[in-house]
Every structure is written in C-alpha cells, then in structure tokens.
C-alpha cells in the first residue's frame, strides 16, 4: 500500500463514521500561539478540546504536517524526521475511548491488513492521582489483543499544563514474516508504536493538580511516515515511497555513500522545502533560525567531503515531489530554490569571513566568553559557527 492509498484508506474510514476533515494543515500555528511550529495534530484543536464548539461538529479528522526540533540530533537514524505528517481523529465530547479503540483495531486489521497476532497494546495502569484506565483495558481484552499496563508511558499531555489524560498505544510487530512475535514493547524494539489514542479527560494546573474537563474527548494520532514504513515492510522510513525520488537521486548527485549523512541531507532539504513553502525565510531568530539551521547543517555535511558541492545541483523534480506530498502550491519551485541558494551564498561568505577573522586574531582552542562575545558583536560570527570552525568541521549544531 503506497502513501496515497494509506491516507485515502484512513480518511475514507473515518468519513464513513461521521467524521469531517479539518482543512488548513500549515506548519504555522495560529496568531498568539507561543510555539514556533505546529508539533502535533491536536495542537490547532486545543481550544475545542477544552470545550469551545467546533464549526464542523464533534467528530473530526485531519492530515496535519508537523515540525519538531527536539529530535534534530537523532535525524539520520531509521525513524526520526524533522517535518512529518500526523493522521488524526477526534471525538469532541461525542463517543468515548472504547469506541475509538474498536474502530482503531478495525482499521488496522481490515483497512490496512495488519494481522491480529502482530498487534500489542499498552494501557495506563494508574498512579497516585488517577486510577487505571479500566475502560481501555476491558476493550482490548474483549478484542483479544495482548495488553501491558504502564504508569509513565501511557499518560499524554502537550506540556506541563493544559489538556491531558491516559492513553492507549498500539504497537505492530516488525520482525518479519519468518519471525513470530515475541516479548513486549518494553523488551523488544521490533514492536513499533503506530497509533496513540488519548482519553482527554483532564486539565493540569500549574501546581500539578488535575481538574476534569467539561467534556470527555478522544484524541488519536498516527504518524504517517512510521505507518507507511510498517505497511511497506521497510526497515527505515527512508526506504518508503515518501522519500522517492530523494533517495534515488541524491547518492549519484553528490556521491553520498555514508547512510546517516545521506538521510540527514534528505530530511533537512525536504523539511526546508516544506518550511519555505509555508512562507518562512531564513533569519537569526524564531522560525527563520530553525530553517537556517536546517539548511546550514545540510551544507556543512556536503562541504565536509567536497567544498564544490552546491544546492544549485538540486533538480526541480525533488522540490515538486515534496510540494505535492505536502499539498503546497507547486508554482513555488523557483522561489524556494532562490531562498536555498541565497542562504548557501550567505553561509559560504560567513564561513570565509570567520576563517579570516580567526586567523588574523590568532584565536584557537578554548575561547573565553569575552572572546565569543567580541566575535559575535564585532564581526557577526555566531558562537556555534566559531566553535565549528575551531573544531575543523564548520558544523552548525
């Protein structure tokens, strides 16, 4: 099942059950929201989870593009991405957790064709404030799916305060057809979490206390890239059709033989295209700084082995593929290409100036805070760039 079939199967399933799609899946949160980027499917729906009536009703679904920088240093492994998509369904005070779990089980088994015996779930087992989630536990026992109770791993919140509640995580065995499921998600990494169903029942206050919400909600989130990796039988998200043609073209374009470097370049360039496509430009603060870091990490990786590599080599096909995947206007290719090349020129110039300044001043080794401030305030050299030059990598963390 390719990505488009996966998304269509998800949307059709929930539409048939009365859910209406939420449009407008931009990376940029609504005005007044303090976060830089949308980080989860439920993020734009927070006011409605807290009780505000939604104009589309009580049953919603969405495909939301998200960006997270918390795992930036992990990008290059098999699973972590900077920009990704989240499949979500919501009950805003309508049906309860057991119904959501039954539908989730039905979609995974019948819609996506995942065998019953490759499923395993975890459920909140209770703590000092809230008892165990007996409704979810009983539902999974009735469906005959193995259940593990946990305390810390099955409580969901979007921050230290705000809506929260117990959740039930659904795992799929990825050990291969010839290897029967074994162990538990806590003991064997071949169990991969694909879907989280949150019973959004509480609001946490600053003092840590919990207050029941005026309505009991269900918020589910399923990472599209991870699901597609499982459905297509791949060991890495980079082996799926989501990263075709990136993984086909880049190795020959720049001779990137090192797998982690190839994955980082693919992820960061692809993410950069999406961020620019949503209207962000490189800068030294806020969203623009996140974009600048992504582009400069790509350039650092490319130039480490060959300083002649340039983003001008990127074929339009890669940008068009990404804009199409994330449902962004396709007429932005030339504009996005111009943003990337302008940032490449800026970074190249900054690196050259940094080398000249450090050489002229005779600076090396461990610098003092005063020296770092001088280089920044007088010569416009950021600390992370100076550190990279001194280490011989030029790497921007």
């Amino acid at each position: 099942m390719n990505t488009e079939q996966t998304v269509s199967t998800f949307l059709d399933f929930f539409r048939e059950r009365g859910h209406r799609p939420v449009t407008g899946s931009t990376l940029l949160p609504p005005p007044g929201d303090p976060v830089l980027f949308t980080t989860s499917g439920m993020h734009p729906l927070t006011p409605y989870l807290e009780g505000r009536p939604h104009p589309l009703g009580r049953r919603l679904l969405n495909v939301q593009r998200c960006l997270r920088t918390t795992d930036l240093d992990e990008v290059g492994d098999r699973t972590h991405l900077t920009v990704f998509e989240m499949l979500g369904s919501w009950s805003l005070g309508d049906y309860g957790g057991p119904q959501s779990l039954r539908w989730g089980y039905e979609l995974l088994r019948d819609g996506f064709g995942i065998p019953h015996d490759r499923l395993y779930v975890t459920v909140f087992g209770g703590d000092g404030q809230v008892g165990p989630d007996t409704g979810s536990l009983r539902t999974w026992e009735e469906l005959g799916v193995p259940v593990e109770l946990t305390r810390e791993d099955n409580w969901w919140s979007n921050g230290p305060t705000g809506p929260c509640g117990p959740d039930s995580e659904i795992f799929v065995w990825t050990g291969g057809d010839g290897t029967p499921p074994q162990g538990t998600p806590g003991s064997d990494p071949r169990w991969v979490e694909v879907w989280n169903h949150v019973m959004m029942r509480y609001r946490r206050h600053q003092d840590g206390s919990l207050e029941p919400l005026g309505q009991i909600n269900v918020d589910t989130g399923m990472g599209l890239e991870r699901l597609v990796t499982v459905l297509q039988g791949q060991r890495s998200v980079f082996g799926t059709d989501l990263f075709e043609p990136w993984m086909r073209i880049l190795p020959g374009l720049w001779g990137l033989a090192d797998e982690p470097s190839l994955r980082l370049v693919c992820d960061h360039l692809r993410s950069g295209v999406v961020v620019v496509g949503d209207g962000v430009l490189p800068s030294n603060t806020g969203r623009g700084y996140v974009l600048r870091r992504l582009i400069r990490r790509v350039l650092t990786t490319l130039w480490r082995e060959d300083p002649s590599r340039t983003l001008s080599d990127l074929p339009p096909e890669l940008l068009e593929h990404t804009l199409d995947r994330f449902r962004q206007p396709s007429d932005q290719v030339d504009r996005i290409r111009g943003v990337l090349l302008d940032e490449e020129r800026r970074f190249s110039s900054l690196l050259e100036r940094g080398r000249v300044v450090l050489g002229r001043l005779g600076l090396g080794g461990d610098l003092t805070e005063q020296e770092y401030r001088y280089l920044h305030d007088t010569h416009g050299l950021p600390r992370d760039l100076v550190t990279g030059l001194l280490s011989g990598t030029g790497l921007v963390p």
Side-chain angles (χ1 to χ4, degrees):
M1 184 176 290
N2 64 32
T3 297
E4 290 303 324
Q5 292 169 331
T6 301
V7 173
S8 295
T9 299
F10 175 84
L11 294 176
D12 291 346
F13 180 90
F14 280 102
R15 281 196 188 101
E16 292 170 0
R17 287 152 184 80
H19 294 69
R20 301 182 67 182
V22 180
T23 57
S25 59
T26 173
L27 285 173
L28 309 185
D33 196 312
V35 303
L36 295 178
F37 292 100
T38 298
T39 59
S40 66
M42 62 79 60
H43 193 154
L45 295 175
T46 300
Y48 307 103
L49 292 166
E50 293 182 327
R52 181 191 301 177
H54 195 284
L56 293 179
R58 292 177 174 269
R59 298 186 181 189
L60 307 175
L61 75 156
N62 194 15
V63 182
Q64 173 68 52
R65 54 181 176 267
C66 307
L67 186 152
R68 294 179 185 172
T69 59
T70 52
D71 297 328
L72 205 58
D73 290 334
E74 304 299 323
V75 172
D77 65 6
R78 296 188 301 112
T79 61
H80 286 91
L81 298 173
T82 308
V83 169
F84 59 95
E85 292 183 278
M86 187 70 75
L87 306 174
S89 64
W90 292 272
S91 164
L92 304 177
D94 189 3
Y95 56 84
Q99 179 63 76
S100 180
L101 297 178
R102 290 182 182 278
W103 278 340
Y105 172 76
E106 181 182 350
L107 176 56
L108 291 175
R109 186 194 62 183
D110 301 335
F112 294 132
I114 298 175
H116 171 92
D117 61 4
R118 290 179 60 197
L119 297 175
Y120 202 110
V121 299
T122 58
V123 169
F124 182 66
D127 59 16
Q129 288 182 290
V130 179
D133 184 2
T134 56
S136 295
L137 177 62
R138 186 164 50 249
T139 299
W140 288 121
E141 289 176 341
E142 291 172 357
L143 292 171
V145 179
V147 183
E148 180 180 353
L149 294 174
T150 79
R151 295 183 64 175
E152 297 180 359
D153 294 339
N154 284 101
W155 183 270
W156 193 95
S157 63
N158 198 37
T161 61
C164 58
D167 66 47
S168 182
E169 298 176 350
I170 307 176
F171 295 78
V172 176
W173 175 255
T174 62
D177 293 337
T179 306
Q182 52 193 271
T184 68
S187 65
D188 196 314
R190 288 174 291 182
W191 287 105
V192 174
E193 179 197 347
V194 294
W195 206 352
N196 191 13
H197 292 240
V198 183
M199 320 311 162
M200 202 78 74
R201 302 170 182 167
Y202 302 95
R203 178 185 293 107
R204 190 178 295 280
H205 296 287
Q206 291 279 4
D207 61 2
S209 62
L210 295 174
E211 172 191 9
L213 289 172
Q215 65 183 27
I216 297 177
N217 311 290
V218 183
D219 158 36
T220 87
M222 178 160 52
L224 174 61
E225 290 80 0
R226 185 175 297 184
L227 175 64
V228 169
T229 302
V230 170
L231 295 181
Q232 295 181 7
Q234 298 292 331
R235 293 187 65 254
S236 161
V237 64
F238 296 95
T240 68
D241 63 341
L242 284 161
F243 278 85
E244 219 289 327
W246 286 93
M247 294 295 285
R248 169 172 51 86
I249 292 177
L250 289 195
L253 183 68
W254 288 320
L256 293 169
D258 174 59
E259 194 73 19
S261 295
L262 173 60
R263 291 172 178 174
L264 183 146
V265 169
C266 283
D267 169 85
H268 283 13
L269 280 178
R270 182 173 177 266
S271 298
V273 170
V274 179
V275 174
V276 178
D278 270 354
V280 179
L281 296 175
S283 70
N284 289 327
T285 59
R287 299 186 183 103
Y289 181 62
V290 174
L291 174 60
R292 174 158 284 170
R293 286 183 68 195
L294 292 175
I295 299 173
R296 292 185 175 183
R297 282 167 64 98
V298 168
L299 293 170
T300 298
T301 302
L302 293 178
W303 292 344
R304 186 180 295 132
E305 294 183 3
D306 185 352
S308 68
R309 291 169 176 166
T310 171
L311 299 183
S312 63
D313 295 333
L314 278 176
E317 175 187 356
L318 298 181
L319 279 67
E320 293 166 355
H321 177 271
T322 300
L323 292 171
D324 180 64
R325 170 62 258 153
F326 286 90
R327 303 170 303 284
Q328 294 174 301
S330 59
D331 59 358
Q332 301 188 83
V333 170
D334 290 340
R335 184 183 72 85
I336 294 172
R337 184 182 183 85
V339 171
L340 296 177
L341 294 181
D342 182 64
E343 185 61 19
E344 179 180 292
R345 286 190 290 269
R346 289 173 180 270
F347 188 44
S348 177
S349 176
L350 187 60
L351 283 174
E352 184 57 33
R353 186 167 81 248
R355 294 187 185 100
V356 170
V357 169
L358 292 177
R360 187 174 69 241
L361 297 176
L363 296 175
D366 296 328
L367 302 188
T368 66
E369 290 299 323
Q370 182 178 359
E371 288 171 324
Y372 276 119
R373 281 196 300 271
Y374 168 77
L375 291 169
H376 180 272
D377 297 343
T378 305
H379 299 283
L381 300 176
R383 181 187 183 116
D384 49 18
L385 183 136
V386 172
T387 302
L389 288 173
L390 292 175
S391 68
T393 67
L395 180 64
V396 179

